[in-house]
Amino acid sequence: MKRNPSSRVWRGVTTTFAALLALSLTATSAVQGFRTDINKFLGTTSTRFVSDEGVDAGETYTYKSDYSNTTELVQSIRDLGERVSEEGSVLLKNDGALPLGGDETKRVSLLGFSSYYPVQGGDMGSVVSQNEGTDADTVDMVTAFKEKGFSINETLQSLYESMKDDFSTEINNFGQKTTVNRITAPMIGEKFSGKEPSQDQMNKASSDWKSSLNDNNVMIVTIARASGENRAYMPGQDGVDGQDGQSDPLGLTDNERALIDAAVQAKKSNGGKVIVLINSANTMQIQEVADNAGVDAIMQIGLPGAYGFYGVADLLSGDANPSGHLSDTWVSNNASSPAVNNYGDYEWTNADTAHTINSEIVQAEGIYTGYKYYETRYFDERLGQGNASSTVGSTDGGSWNYGNEVTYPFGYGLSYTTFSQKLDSVDVDLAAKTVTAKVTVTNTGDVSGKSVVQLYDNVPYTDYDKSHDVEKPAVQLLDYAKTKELKPGESQTLTITADAQYMASWDSTAENSKGTKGTYILDAGEYVFTIADNAHDAANNVLARQGASTDGNADNTASWTLDGLDSTTFAVTKNGTKVENQLQDADLNTWMPDTVTYLSRSDWQGTWPKTYKDLTATDEMLKGGLTNDTYEITSNGDTSSVTWGADGDLNLATLKGVDIDDSRWDDLINQMDLSEALIRTAFGGTSTKAIESITSPEVIQNDGPNGFASYTLGQYANTDKSSGDPYAVDADDKNLSYSMGVMASETVLGQTFSKDLAEEWGKAIGNYSIWANTTILWGVGTNLHRTAYNARNHEYYSEDPVLTGFQAAASISGAKAYGCILAPKHYAFNDTEINRTGVATFMTEQKAREGELRAHQSPVEDAGTLGMMSGYNRIGVTSTNASTGLMLGILRNEWGFKGILSEDFIMDNEYQNLRAAAYNGVTMLTSTGDDSMDAVAKLWPYWTVDNVRQDTKLMKALHQNMKWQNYAYANSNAVDGLNSTTRIEHVRTWYDNALTGVSVVTGLLTLLGAVMYVVSRRGRSERQ
């Protein structure tokens, strides 16, 4: 029997188009689940706002930009980037080599491959945007120097450019691989590999490179280390690949050392200068460079961003005067820090990936990190107390000696001029909770410059403290200020009004006004205040006042005496909340009694931290939080006390600028359906979903410490000039391709010691936010540099919480004035990238409160931040997002935070702890999906309307969370352009229409094929 060829054809047609129909329907369904992300990628929108006629659109824009067009905007950002590096680069050594004379800038030899391929930002999360064809293009070192009039040794430039491929490294960011021609930071579990070519390699590439130094004898050597998210350096030999004679990844390689030596040797014959630039946010071990008499100058430039090399050139030429100061202590051996004894991958013996139980870190160093360790131990060593001179922690194995340990102290920085600083007065007012210092600064040198005043305090360390496990640093930064640019001979008197709460200490054993335990105390005794150029000078000033033989200046100290122990002044926070212990379960000893000995200055030797590893989590620890089951939805309370779905005519724009205590806020949230609150909490994604019932808009988020980098200016900029938007732009604006991931790392911003410059940084973010229509930037890193080895240190300002908190607060305030929610992260204790998702971080409550929490406190209490991001890690056994003490007890209650609280980008549904997170004030996760309860329930089966509706406690928390979140939006530029008549309409995007069209066409063709197949079969039957 012959087969009918037409039947086969129509059967094939039907099958083909049926498959295409199924594919298009599947794609249509998938689009619903990823609509938010697709819109972000394509720059489309699925909703629009419609207002009644007659409303003046221009009057609905609350926040105003300082600039009239995008050219002014991006050029102002470039100018700021230059000035941040001018004030944030730190001159560490200068034997008269700097500044360069005009003729010297014409004979510059740039040595080191990082001079040509520098590290300008991070490897991930803070990659510098490569802008081209805009009004503020990105520049590297060579380009910036040439634009500033420098002449660069062409022989060397050709040499390094010919070896470009030798410097290439593949970066793998969660499967996205890119190749870069610069040094990189090691991924977790990998070793550092140096890239500097050897002298032999250089000689083979160019036989006359050394002779070219004769006519280009200003030799600038760049030594670099990279930074990045999800990366880590490991101490000592374990952290290097062993190929280049390194003993530590943050120490010099043999090839780097040989390059510096080659320049020093060349100087002997060409009579030039050797200047070393440190292109690193991580503190490097450069004692040998500092000691090298042939090195004339050292400047730490950090990661300078897209425009910072303009500022570096200005400093080298003398067009700007260095005024930066180190935000970290630079030591000869980073591994000598007591914190390093518990830095690494310490896996639980009963680790369980099903519950993200991986490892632990016990921060047994207590409060003694950074200068609070080195200066306190020095202080005690000089006074012969606490076994401070013992060999533990000594780099050379002998008695501990400060000079052998510290290369450059915290706060250190040189200038091309000199200054005198005189402490005129200090007034302590406990009623006002302030310490006011007046300081007169005089430029005693020959050139104009700025000076930083650093105010430190020394508090009593008493027998009471020793018996109650309260630790005290010898000196701690209380506040700081920077002068204007002072001309030679000019003076300025600065008044610093410091917050006295930052000289109080947390005592977990003290009775408090709530009748429980835990409060801030001021010990009885003498309090010494001093101004100093750095933390070491501060310690010496206090020692000099006490009669010790040091180089200190007792004249720049003042004292205040407290007659009795004070446990009441700071027992109540600024918003009237009584304090108490909130984080006792963060101490491993709570779970495993007498396991940890925390470092104490009462006995440096006897309490020196050991490494806590190979630990087994107990059943109590597993049930207490490690298995992530910390909140159970139950039937409780009067469910009718929480209102959802009420009738009302309020919308979010109606409450612009309205105080959160106004009753209309409850009325507004009452209009929301419970399902809307559940979806909004679960699907925060990369933008928050719109809420139709109250006309709350979709709000665009961005993440990155160096500016808005995820989207170009044009991604969400308004190009509709008829819309009434004063910041609508032309569709052909050349700056629409501009990406703002251009700023220097936050370490550089910290080194400016300038609240004014930090505020300018925030203002730049805010202005850009208005033009780009991107409201939220998770861009203020308020974690601390616990050790030098965290490769993500570049995203954070400092080892010091006061410097961190105040710089962050200044930036947040600056952005807030433009309606931008510039938000801190990661709350809290996210100070390692090793097993960051799930690592159990243990510490005392004193360390927590006086360390990282203090760094987050000022942004909330002083700047009134409207956003905060939690960390990936656990505090104790509980994930940060589920910690009642951390989120509600301290953040929401003690500090009074009223805003968006987002989790970090956790993608594990269980570890997200949705139930517990929502109960504890987290307003949104970072998952994304379709705007439906079905999509939510697929990920969290317990997160349904019927289930949650029975839990009054949880519903009250959700109601309050929605109030906090929408209050933040109402006080941001997200509601610019909206008014009391505005409502949300759904619109079809071009891809919706395309998919529908494909489905219709393939459906019709499938039907046609099926009909023709049947007809052909019938015809065949009739013929037979």
Side-chain angles (χ1 to χ4, degrees), residues 873-945:
N873 55 292
R874 290 179 166 97
I875 176 62
V877 299
T878 308
S879 64
T880 58
N881 51 56
S883 172
T884 300
L886 189 65
M887 296 298 180
L888 288 181
I890 296 174
L891 179 63
R892 294 290 191 185
N893 296 336
E894 289 187 16
W895 299 347
F897 172 63
K898 299 176 178 66
I900 311 159
L901 181 53
S902 173
E903 291 189 3
D904 204 340
F905 208 67
I906 301 169
M907 289 292 101
D908 182 280
N909 294 339
E910 180 190 288
Y911 189 64
Q912 286 172 324
N913 282 292
L914 177 54
R915 290 169 292 194
Y919 177 74
N920 287 296
V922 171
T923 64
M924 64 183 186
L925 276 58
T926 51
S927 295
T928 188
D930 184 21
D931 194 9
S932 72
M933 284 305 304
D934 287 342
V936 172
K938 285 180 181 179
L939 299 179
W940 303 277
Y942 57 77
W943 202 245
T944 65
V945 171

Side-chain angles (χ1 to χ4, degrees), residues 58 201 309 338 459 475 747:
Q201 289 174 300
F309 283 116
V459 300
V475 290
T747 305

Side-chain angles (χ1 to χ4, degrees), residues 117 158-167 197 201-202 205:
Y117 308 104
S158 298
L159 181 155
Y160 283 105
E161 290 176 350
S162 72
M163 302 177 72
K164 179 178 180 179
D165 291 341
D166 295 339
F167 310 143
Q201 289 174 300
M202 293 178 68

Side-chain angles (χ1 to χ4, degrees), residues 595-613:
T595 297
V596 183
T597 298
Y598 290 100
L599 183 61
S600 172
R601 65 182 292 195
S602 64
D603 184 0
W604 295 102
Q605 183 175 16
T607 61
W608 188 253
K610 72 173 186 178
T611 302
Y612 294 92
K613 59 182 180 179

